[in-house]
Amino acid sequence: MTPPPVPVQILPRPPVDARRAAPPVAATSVTVVADLDEIVESAECSCDAGDDNPH
């Protein structure tokens, strides 16, 4: 058996009282590095360091 049709009401948009405010946006900061070599050379340990030369 097929169930009987169910009446529905189609609204153009949600009612005003059903709307939520947008969540706050987090503030972020970006650090721009002009010379990456300056940062890499100041690293404590080299990526190419072996077991016999840890620095």
Side-chain angles (χ1 to χ4, degrees), residues 31-50:
T31 304
V32 177
V33 178
D35 187 12
L36 189 58
D37 288 333
E38 196 174 303
I39 303 267
V40 174
E41 289 174 0
S42 67
E44 186 176 316
C45 181
S46 172
C47 294
D48 294 331

Side-chain angles (χ1 to χ4, degrees), residues 7-19:
V8 295
Q9 180 182 11
I10 299 175
L11 301 173
R13 59 190 157 129
V16 175
D17 59 347
R19 293 184 190 173

